[in-house]
Amino acid sequence: MKKVLTITCLLAACLIALAENSVTGRVLDQATRQAIDYANVSIVREGETVPAGGTITDATGNFTIHNLKDGTYIVTVSFMGYRDITRTVTMAGKAVALGNIMLQEDAQALSEVEVVGQNSSMKFELDKKVFTVDQNIASAGASVTDVLENIPSVDVDQEGNISLRNSEDVEIWINGKPAGLNSENRAQVLQQMPAGTIEKIEVITNPSAKFSPEGSSGIINLVMKKDSKAGFYGSVQAGLSYALAAPWNVPPGGNASFNINFNSGVVDGYFNVGYRYHVSNGGSKTDRYNLNGAGDQELDSSLIRSHLIQDGQQTRRGGGMFTRAGLNFHLAKHSTLGISGFGMVSDPKVMNGHNNYTRTYTLADAAGNITRDYVRQQSGNNWHPGGEATLDYTLDYNNHRLDLSATYNHFTWNQEIDYTQTEAGRDTMYQSQNSYSTDPGIELHADYEWKPTPQSRLEGGYAYTREWGSSRGDAFDVIGGTDKEIYAYYQHTETLMQNHALYVTYGNRFWDKLSIQVGLRGEYYMRHLESTYKNDAGEEKDSYETCPNKKDTAYFQLFPSAYISYDFGNGHELQLNYTRRINRPWGHQINPRMDFSDSTNISYGNVDLLPAYSNNLELNYLKTWERHTLSAGMFWRYREGVVQNIKYMDGDVMKNTYFNLSTRQELGIEVVAKNKLFGEVLQLTTSANFYWNNLAALHDSIVHQGVTIPIDLAGQNIFAGSVRINAQFMFTKNFTGQISANYRSPRVVAQGTTSHSYSIDLGLRHTFLNKQLALALNVRDLLDSRARRNTTWGDGFWQFSENRWHSRNISLILTYNFGNNRQRRGDRGEMQGGRDDSDDSGNMETNGDF
């Protein structure tokens, strides 16, 4: 027994000695002082030729080589386009820190290197997926919304609403911050934002406590382009697009943009301005049966009281100018001061939105006899200028990092719509409805990071958010050229939201294999909402029947997060993580303004909505080979107080609003595979999501604005899924192509189901003049199949509806690059299996890679 103990102690001592014998350092570009990821680091014992170890640098340029014996070693750092650098170290039972290692560009080597291959459009990490926009041919001349439609696990419906893993409870951020985007404005902002301004899109399903817990299904982070190459360079782009669907007399759309960047080492900056004019054809269909009794999944013809058929055709025309700029001042060796911002400008009559919508209504009785037949035509304008400005400061010194930022954002959403209703035997009816809203806000962030050892990290910080919004809506009957206000549709709402947040996270890495991170975030949230209505005499009043004019909400909540991951070596990694998240109602969900664009289907918000909470558990596996990557995960999400849209009948008019309903849970698997096939000819990315979805039954009634609304939801269980395939072809070094296809199975919603959907996009790109000139041809929705089809039922109705946001579209885009555009960090091809852990401004480190 003593011998066993002795041997055990000796082995333990040897392991401890080996663990302590490690070399750490950080590799930087000497000119720009930017971290260089994927630089090769090798170590050779003095007098020998066989390496004793090696690694590559991570996203922040750091590296660690463990398990070295005592002795003298030569450390060599190398990277394509830079001169190699060596250091001599002596190991004597303790860790050696080399500090910053500056690599100097080798201009001659750069001029001799020609990279022939495809960059990766999708990069993998255990806790997030990174989509590189530049590598997506279909993104040329497109909007951010168009790009999101082709990202695994992300769906965009016909109104521009975005969902992640079958949930619309998702946050959209810009450069790691909310940036003023909410459910009220983000569909319009993302449609106006050019895809060419985005470097990459990060899909993060379980962010750590460092980040806001908003969005029960996760965060989609848009990382704006912010290049760090030395010199002066830029690009000019122009394009045309045409909707290949009736009506054929609409004009083509187009885009134009100019981008310029410079970096002198002390100051770097960028400026981009672009204009997009888009034209799309869409429409809607509704087949609704008003019933004498409760509807069910299968229509009971014996209950039919009346029948409504609505057929709509829509043409949307609009454009806008989007501009962004930024400057970074490298004040000293370890500190940087930056100022940046973006903005959108618009003209209500020309630039941002003109909407023509013609709806034809046919009403019949139970026997099928037509009782009414009329046409309601909608024509109007909408405009939504806005933007944000950010001031930030970074101090990075001796394993300590401090990030301070202050952001101001301001967005508006305005709409003026005229309606003309014609019907045989009746006078033509004219109406108008207007709505105006504004959402300014500020965000303050202070984040501190300390790495006491190369394997550990402690983070803490504070965030303050303040948003104050105002919305007003009114409606009029136009009689004899005179506006007569419809008082029931007047509404004026003021909101004020404040949120204080503190967080702390700690993580450590053991034996270069096991990583653990735990975090806790506390938030104190306050919201004040005040609404004003008008009575039948046109007088403003403080309440609408039983709805109070003031609604104050305040609460404190804790949001823990935990990650544990293990690296088995040879490209195998496994991670288990847990987070608690929240979905706070905002925007149109709580705005009581009633919309009567469809006079038979009126929608409005509910000021009484409460937040919904979710518990999220994920198990992720990642395996990398030289030319293949496999990411597989299992997720479970349990949500309480889920916010759902509920329909109910008020006479023959359907009304829609939002309520907190019962619980919902999902158990699913997600698999993403990336393969390079036939050399560099084909890069194939395939993603699949399959999940079981359970919506608990609820049989109750709710009194809302003086009306008793029966809620009779049968429990629903469904197995659903989606599949996406993205194939990138390299026919020659200058000629590439892309095919993107996706399929989404039927799934459940409150009071019904959503039908399956599918689509295909195509793209071709050819470069000329040593890649200075590029021509891209894209066809979106080749099969003209993008549509959302719902079947819903409830007390007094059964309904099938179909909505189409846009139609098949073809575009031609020409891009010219100019200036000193040498290949440097950020432009090189994929390396080391294609993982991308970059840590540039705006990227989100989520799981603590130590």
Side-chain angles (χ1 to χ4, degrees):
M1 185 67 181
K2 290 183 178 179
K3 290 182 178 179
V4 174
L5 290 174
T6 303
I7 293 172
T8 303
C9 292
L10 289 173
L11 287 174
C14 291
L15 289 173
I16 292 171
L18 288 173
E20 289 177 345
N21 268 349
S22 61
V23 177
T24 63
R26 189 183 187 200
V27 181
L28 304 175
D29 182 303
Q30 186 176 37
T32 66
R33 305 197 66 80
Q34 296 291 317
I36 299 177
D37 52 356
Y38 294 111
N40 294 302
V41 184
S42 64
I43 186 165
V44 179
R45 194 181 184 94
E46 194 172 47
E48 298 180 2
T49 57
V50 178
T55 186
I56 59 173
T57 57
D58 64 12
T60 60
N62 290 299
F63 68 87
T64 303
I65 301 175
H66 296 283
N67 303 330
L68 298 171
K69 298 179 181 178
D70 289 348
T72 302
Y73 294 83
I74 306 297
V75 179
T76 302
V77 181
S78 61
F79 188 72
M80 183 184 69
Y82 291 83
R83 296 174 184 171
D84 293 355
I85 193 167
T86 61
R87 294 284 189 272
T88 301
V89 298
T90 300
M91 310 306 303
K94 63 179 181 179
V96 175
L98 295 177
N100 291 337
I101 300 173
M102 301 295 183
L103 291 190
Q104 190 174 24
E105 185 183 86
D106 188 338
Q108 180 178 356
L110 277 173
S111 64
E112 295 172 352
V113 171
E114 180 182 24
V115 178
V116 180
Q118 297 191 70
N119 288 347
S120 174
S121 63
M122 181 70 70
K123 310 288 177 70
F124 300 101
E125 296 179 27
L126 277 171
D127 56 337
K128 67 179 175 181
K129 309 293 186 295
V130 182
F131 183 86
T132 307
V133 175
D134 275 348
Q135 302 308 314
N136 188 326
I137 297 173
S139 68
S143 69
V144 172
T145 300
D146 298 329
V147 176
L148 288 172
E149 290 179 350
N150 284 314
I151 292 183
S153 305
V154 178
D155 289 283
V156 183
D157 71 10
Q158 300 308 301
E159 286 75 40
N161 300 311
I162 297 165
S163 61
L164 176 61
R165 287 182 175 173
N166 195 40
S167 171
E168 292 186 6
D169 300 340
V170 57
E171 287 292 293
I172 309 296
W173 287 10
I174 297 176
N175 286 342
K177 299 188 295 293
L181 299 186
N182 56 48
S183 59
E184 189 78 1
N185 62 32
R186 70 188 184 195
Q188 292 78 20
V189 172
L190 298 182
Q191 178 63 33
Q192 190 170 336
M193 185 181 294
T197 62
I198 304 297
E199 177 187 350
K200 53 191 170 185
I201 298 173
E202 300 174 333
V203 179
I204 308 147
T205 52
N206 240 8
S208 74
K210 178 179 180 180
F211 303 100
S212 169
E214 285 276 6
S216 59
S217 62
I219 295 170
I220 299 174
N221 184 38
L222 310 177
V223 181
M224 308 286 278
K225 286 182 177 177
K226 185 180 178 182
D227 221 328
S228 58
K229 295 176 293 186
F232 172 84
Y233 48 94
S235 63
V236 179
Q237 185 181 90
L240 289 174
S241 63
Y242 190 75
L244 299 177
W248 301 99
N249 59 344
V250 297
N255 70 284
S257 65
F258 172 76
N259 175 63
I260 191 168
N261 303 263
F262 68 92
N263 189 339
S264 65
V266 178
V267 179
D268 63 75
Y270 57 90
F271 174 76
N272 172 268
V273 60
Y275 172 75
R276 291 187 72 248
Y277 182 80
H278 57 88
V279 179
S280 63
N281 297 325
S284 63
K285 295 179 180 179
T286 300
D287 194 3
R288 185 170 82 224
Y289 293 88
N290 300 324
L291 307 177
N292 292 313
D296 204 343
Q297 186 168 1
E298 296 296 330
L299 176 64
D300 186 347
S301 58
S302 67
L303 298 176
I304 296 176
R305 177 167 53 86
S306 61
H307 184 198
L308 169 68
I309 299 174
Q310 181 263 119
D311 193 351
Q313 294 294 325
Q314 182 179 37
T315 298
R316 298 184 180 184
R317 292 180 293 149
M321 185 172 293
F322 183 89
T323 184
R324 55 186 295 266
L327 286 171
N328 289 303
F329 303 91
H330 304 285
L331 305 178
K333 185 177 180 180
H334 303 285
S335 61
T336 302
L337 178 67
I339 183 170
S340 61
F342 68 86
M344 298 176 293
V345 295
S346 59
D347 184 293
K349 301 301 181 185
V350 180
M351 294 182 61
N352 212 35
H354 187 76
N355 190 359
N356 290 312
Y357 208 141
T358 301
R359 292 182 173 94
T360 301
Y361 297 85
T362 302
L363 284 84
D365 59 21
N369 302 310
I370 296 177
T371 58
R372 288 190 67 186
D373 195 349
Y374 62 95
V375 175
R376 186 175 177 86
Q377 186 170 3
Q378 168 184 324
S379 178
N381 301 287
N382 61 79
W383 64 103
H384 36 83
E388 73 157 31
T390 299
L391 180 68
D392 58 79
Y393 174 77
T394 299
L395 177 65
D396 191 353
Y397 179 72
N398 195 24
N399 299 323
H400 296 269
R401 181 184 176 98
L402 177 65
D403 291 290
L404 304 174
S405 67
T407 300
Y408 173 77
N409 54 70
H410 190 284
F411 292 94
T412 63
W413 190 88
N414 306 301
Q415 187 177 62
E416 296 175 348
I417 304 294
D418 295 321
Y419 302 96
T420 303
Q421 186 167 308
T422 57
E423 184 175 0
R426 299 191 182 190
D427 293 336
T428 300
M429 182 174 67
Y430 302 94
Q431 292 178 313
S432 65
Q433 186 171 29
N434 309 310
S435 59
Y436 311 94
S437 64
T438 180
D439 292 299
I442 58 171
E443 298 174 42
L444 304 176
H445 291 264
D447 300 289
Y448 170 74
E449 176 188 305
W450 175 42
K451 290 187 176 181
T453 69
Q455 293 78 32
S456 62
R457 177 166 61 187
L458 176 67
E459 294 177 301
Y462 168 77
Y464 172 70
T465 304
R466 180 185 176 95
E467 296 178 4
W468 54 100
S470 175
S471 69
R472 180 176 61 85
D474 49 33
F476 301 87
D477 283 324
V478 183
I479 302 174
T482 303
D483 291 344
K484 181 180 180 181
E485 186 171 2
I486 308 174
Y487 299 127
Y489 286 89
Y490 174 85
Q491 167 274 324
H492 181 197
T493 300
E494 300 284 338
T495 57
L496 172 64
M497 185 277 290
Q498 298 184 76
N499 190 46
H500 298 267
L502 285 170
Y503 75 88
V504 61
T505 69
Y506 175 75
N508 210 330
R509 190 174 182 91
F510 305 93
W511 311 295
D512 203 29
K513 297 291 184 181
L514 178 66
S515 294
I516 297 176
Q517 178 182 284
V518 293
L520 184 64
R521 185 183 185 95
E523 293 197 349
Y524 180 65
Y525 178 87
M526 297 170 288
R527 188 188 73 196
H528 174 77
L529 184 148
E530 186 169 336
S531 297
T532 304
Y533 307 87
K534 286 186 177 181
N535 60 21
D536 293 339
E539 300 168 337
E540 290 192 357
K541 58 180 182 177
D542 293 339
S543 63
Y544 180 76
E545 296 184 8
T546 61
C547 180
N549 74 313
K550 295 182 180 180
K551 190 75 175 180
D552 290 300
T553 303
Y555 52 85
F556 176 79
Q557 289 286 332
L558 294 174
F559 301 94
S561 67
Y563 297 79
I564 180 169
S565 61
Y566 191 83
D567 187 346
F568 294 91
N570 298 319
H572 295 271
E573 294 182 70
L574 189 68
Q575 183 194 79
L576 178 68
N577 61 64
Y578 164 81
T579 63
R580 181 175 187 256
R581 303 188 62 77
I582 188 173
N583 181 48
R584 297 183 176 103
W586 192 251
H588 66 279
Q589 291 182 334
I590 59 173
N591 190 335
R593 183 187 74 91
M594 291 192 290
D595 179 6
F596 67 6
S597 55
D598 179 352
S599 59
T600 67
N601 191 355
I602 295 174
S603 60
Y604 61 95
N606 179 4
V607 297
D608 295 319
L609 282 181
L610 300 173
Y613 296 93
S614 70
N615 291 278
N616 305 279
L617 188 67
E618 289 191 16
L619 179 66
N620 297 310
Y621 169 76
L622 181 64
K623 167 62 178 173
T624 57
W625 295 270
E626 183 179 354
R627 303 181 63 79
H628 308 280
T629 304
L630 173 66
S631 171
M634 178 180 292
F635 62 90
W636 175 74
R637 184 166 60 221
Y638 180 80
R639 293 183 281 173
E640 298 176 289
V642 178
V643 176
Q644 290 281 296
N645 180 266
I646 295 295
K647 301 175 174 62
Y648 66 96
M649 299 302 298
D650 185 4
D652 285 337
V653 176
M654 176 175 283
K655 291 189 176 180
N656 299 261
T657 190
Y658 297 89
F659 292 103
N660 293 99
L661 299 181
S662 55
T663 61
R664 184 170 190 160
Q665 57 180 323
E666 293 167 324
L667 177 65
I669 59 174
E670 181 181 67
V671 179
V672 185
K674 185 181 66 180
N675 303 278
K676 281 193 172 184
L677 306 172
F678 313 112
E680 295 290 338
V681 174
L682 173 61
Q683 181 173 277
L684 187 66
T685 302
T686 307
S687 66
N689 280 270
F690 302 100
Y691 49 86
W692 166 74
N693 196 327
N694 169 260
L695 186 63
L698 179 64
H699 304 282
D700 201 352
S701 62
I702 298 173
V703 178
H704 180 64
Q705 295 187 356
V707 178
T708 300
I709 302 170
I711 305 295
D712 191 10
L713 302 180
Q716 296 193 69
N717 292 277
I718 193 170
F719 181 79
S722 63
V723 177
R724 271 194 173 88
I725 298 176
N726 182 283
Q728 293 179 287
F729 299 90
M730 176 171 255
F731 306 113
T732 70
K733 69 178 183 179
N734 295 317
F735 185 34
T736 56
Q738 178 178 298
I739 299 176
S740 299
N742 74 80
Y743 171 82
R744 191 178 185 188
S745 73
R747 51 205 183 278
V748 297
V749 295
Q751 296 180 291
T753 60
T754 296
S755 302
H756 72 277
S757 60
Y758 57 91
S759 64
I760 296 177
D761 296 335
L762 300 178
L764 293 172
R765 178 162 56 195
H766 200 293
T767 60
F768 309 87
L769 304 177
N770 196 23
K771 297 189 177 182
Q772 282 190 296
L773 188 67
L775 182 66
L777 174 68
N778 295 316
V779 180
R780 297 189 58 78
D781 198 7
L782 178 69
L783 305 179
D784 202 21
S785 57
R786 277 193 173 101
R788 183 181 179 121
R789 302 174 181 89
N790 292 336
T791 301
T792 53
W793 55 89
D795 187 56
F797 73 93
W798 183 98
Q799 176 176 284
F800 171 80
S801 61
E802 176 180 322
N803 289 282
R804 299 173 58 83
W805 199 27
H806 52 68
S807 60
R808 183 190 300 116
N809 183 280
I810 186 170
S811 62
L812 190 66
I813 311 297
L814 185 66
T815 304
Y816 176 71
N817 300 305
F818 61 87
N820 176 23
N821 203 11
R822 295 175 297 173
Q823 186 154 337
R824 290 283 302 278
R825 180 178 184 269
D827 281 353
R828 60 181 184 274
E830 178 192 4
M831 305 186 65
Q832 301 295 335
R835 290 192 59 189
D836 180 72
D837 304 298
S838 54
D839 178 26
D840 294 332
S841 176
N843 295 5
M844 294 175 60
E845 290 186 4
T846 58
N847 69 338
D849 217 358
F850 311 110

